[in-house]
Amino acid sequence: MAGCFRQIKHLLDQIGLGCDLTRFYLVNRVRSAYESFLEGMKAMNLLGAIHESPKVFEPCFHGEAVKITADIMENIFVYDLSPEGSNKRAMEENAVAFWLDFLLDIQENNSSVTFENILVFATGLDKVPVTGFDPSPRLEFIHEPDVGEQECSKFPKAHTCSCVLKIPLHPRYELFKT
């Protein structure tokens, strides 16, 4: 399909095949979509305007540099809380309060952690995408130990592919922050 049939006899042949497959996957496979996109931009004379004034159009493609604040971080994450009235819910609400306090500590420079550190840890991105997150990253809680472990993790865990940040449940803020 990639049009890069090679007989593999030596290690260098494998490297050449890897280069051919990479070129196909990253360049040739998407070439027709790219060319169609360019034709559409030419038809609206947008491509010429971008070439003439690239700085004017930069925010459209890169977004403007937005300073992340505690409020922005609070609104990025959706909380997955247990049903109201449950024991788990009470512990989770306590953890959310610690989370919000932690975000304020970061904003006031009372932590070595930055908002960008948290975003990278939870999502793999160091800034909020221009179009936002879809779906929104989730904040979950560590209630049970992982398989093979004796106790729950004292540290946060993340799944960057699904944008999930799992935070531990601690009885005191100092433990949470540490």
Side-chain angles (χ1 to χ4, degrees), residues 70 91-115 118 154-156 167-178:
M91 292 187 303
E92 291 167 356
E93 287 175 348
N94 193 42
V96 168
F98 290 163
W99 165 253
L100 297 175
D101 287 345
F102 184 59
L103 295 178
L104 289 174
D105 277 352
I106 294 171
Q107 186 165 293
E108 295 168 359
N109 295 321
N110 292 331
S111 175
S112 60
V113 176
T114 65
F115 294 128
I118 293 173
K154 296 175 183 167
F155 303 102
I167 59 174
L169 302 169
H170 289 292
R172 294 189 331 272
Y173 177 67
E174 296 78 25
L175 291 172
F176 180 89
K177 186 175 177 179
T178 302

Side-chain angles (χ1 to χ4, degrees), residues 5 20-21 79 155:
F5 177 75
D20 289 347
L21 289 172
Y79 310 139
F155 303 102

Side-chain angles (χ1 to χ4, degrees), residues 4 24 26 37 67 82 96 122 138 166 176:
C4 52
F24 167 76
L26 296 177
F37 177 70
K67 182 171 172 31
S82 297
V96 168
R138 293 188 332 269
K166 294 183 174 191
F176 180 89

Side-chain angles (χ1 to χ4, degrees), residues 37-53 57:
F37 177 70
L38 286 180
E39 287 302 314
M41 290 180 66
K42 285 178 188 174
M44 298 185 312
N45 199 26
L46 189 57
L47 190 59
I50 291 172
H51 282 297
E52 288 175 18
S53 307
F57 288 92

Side-chain angles (χ1 to χ4, degrees), residues 5-16:
F5 177 75
R6 286 178 183 255
Q7 232 179 2
I8 307 296
K9 293 184 179 180
H10 304 288
L11 179 61
L12 292 176
D13 295 335
Q14 289 178 338
I15 292 170

Side-chain angles (χ1 to χ4, degrees), residues 3 15 17 27-28 65 132 163:
I15 292 170
L17 177 62
V27 178
N28 298 338
C163 295

